[in-house]
């Protein structure tokens, strides 16, 4: 049985959605992928300051950021390799929780080491903002914060653990959100510790 908790309208939390066996399968796929292609180091547009997370993508369109800006592209920004297709469990979570929406085109993989964080931001680089974003957590627990469409609006915090899934869409699709901190040593899933987050998104507007 999948437990569904509504955090607020448009934000749904599914604790321990993926069991340990599936978490290990997804982890192994990501680690072999990273071994083959290498993580890329995103940097802030204009200034070129590195993010504290490293990244990879699955799917036809991957989210990248460098000096020239944020964008989606089919290839790894540092070596030009085409992204691998979505892993089975990622396609499945989309069809289960985003049933009826167009298929996902991007799955961003963020790797957080113990001191990494993600400042409050909106996911707004997609043409189609009617489709909810699905976020999967693996490894160490993280303190996630979500607010409103106003950067200075009130926020709620939630600890995301390994195997948890969060969906945000509808009235919350453009809410500011981020990761305040990682709790090191809270999971044994990743051999080097830290946390992996996978974010699944629809990018383009479908014709129909
Ligand atoms: C993100 O919003 O890009 C990542 C959120 C997370 O790591 O849970
Ligand atoms: Mn985001």
């Amino acid at each position: 049985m999948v437990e569904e908790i509504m955090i607020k309208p448009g934000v749904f939390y599914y604790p321990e959605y993926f069991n340990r066996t599936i978490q290990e399968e997804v982890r192994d796929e990501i680690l072999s992928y990273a071994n083959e292609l290498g993580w890329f180091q995103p940097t802030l547009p204009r200034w070129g300051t590195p993010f504290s997370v490293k990244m990879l993508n699955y799917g036809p369109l991957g989210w990248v950021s460098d000096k020239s800006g944020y964008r989606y592209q089919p290839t790894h920004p540092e070596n030009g390799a085409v992204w691998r297709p979505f892993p089975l469990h990622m396609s499945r979570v989309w069809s289960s929780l985003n049933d009826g929406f167009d298929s996902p085109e991007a799955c961003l993989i963020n790797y957080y080491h113990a001191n990494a964080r993600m400042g409050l931001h909106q996911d707004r680089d997609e043409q189609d903002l009617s489709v909810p974003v699905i976020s999967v957590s693996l490894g160490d627990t993280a303190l996630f914060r979500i607010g409103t469409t106003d950067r200075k609006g009130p926020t709620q915090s939630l600890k995301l653990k390994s195997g948890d899934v969060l969906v945000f869409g509808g009235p919350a699709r453009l809410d500011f959100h981020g990761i305040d901190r990682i709790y090191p040593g809270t999971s044994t899933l990743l051999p080097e510790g830290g946390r992996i987050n996978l974010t699944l998104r629809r990018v383009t507007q479908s014709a129909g």
Side-chain angles (χ1 to χ4, degrees):
M1 266 304 288
V2 175
E3 186 189 2
E4 178 183 78
I5 299 167
M6 192 176 86
I7 303 294
K8 62 175 175 170
V11 183
F12 296 91
Y13 174 49
Y14 303 88
E16 293 175 77
Y17 184 90
F18 289 113
N19 65 30
R20 177 76 186 204
T21 310
I22 295 181
Q23 292 174 41
E24 288 173 358
E25 264 179 56
V26 179
R27 171 203 64 193
D28 290 348
E29 157 55 37
I30 294 169
L31 296 183
S32 89
Y33 185 28
N35 207 31
E36 183 190 301
L37 238 63
W39 298 96
F40 71 92
Q41 179 59 68
T43 60
L44 283 177
R46 290 168 62 98
W47 308 111
T49 316
F51 282 51
S52 61
V53 297
K54 43 191 188 176
M55 297 181 172
L56 258 178
N57 286 278
Y58 286 115
L61 290 173
W63 189 88
V64 302
S65 178
D66 59 21
K67 277 198 154 168
S68 45
Y70 306 131
R71 64 190 176 277
Y72 281 98
Q73 65 178 45
T75 53
H76 191 295
E78 293 174 6
N79 56 35
V82 171
W83 311 116
R84 280 190 189 178
F86 273 61
L88 178 70
H89 295 295
M90 295 303 108
S91 303
R92 278 197 184 148
V93 66
W94 185 277
S95 19
S96 304
L97 302 181
N98 264 352
D99 185 28
F101 288 103
D102 287 337
S103 51
E105 295 168 303
C107 176
L108 172 65
I109 317 168
N110 290 318
Y111 194 109
Y112 297 77
H113 61 70
N115 299 316
R117 53 189 292 280
M118 176 83 66
L120 281 182
H121 65 276
Q122 292 171 296
D123 286 12
R124 53 180 307 162
D125 301 321
E126 301 73 37
Q127 289 164 17
D128 192 342
L129 296 169
S130 68
V131 185
V133 172
I134 296 186
S135 151
V136 175
S137 293
L138 295 174
D140 286 340
T141 300
L143 188 60
F144 174 81
R145 193 143 59 97
I146 186 158
T148 65
T149 52
D150 175 0
R151 184 183 280 281
K152 298 198 184 81
T155 62
Q156 285 170 275
S157 290
L158 189 65
K159 281 187 181 169
L160 296 177
K161 301 178 305 307
S162 199
D164 290 355
V165 173
L166 190 81
V167 179
F168 59 97
R173 177 62 181 75
L174 284 175
D175 283 356
F176 277 88
H177 59 278
I179 293 292
D180 288 336
R181 63 164 296 192
I182 303 295
Y183 297 91
T186 43
S187 163
T188 55
L189 187 73
L190 301 175
E192 292 178 15
R195 170 176 185 260
I196 287 177
N197 172 259
L198 300 109
T199 309
L200 287 69
R201 305 186 187 109
R202 175 74 193 186
V203 179
T204 63
Q205 199 97 46
S206 64

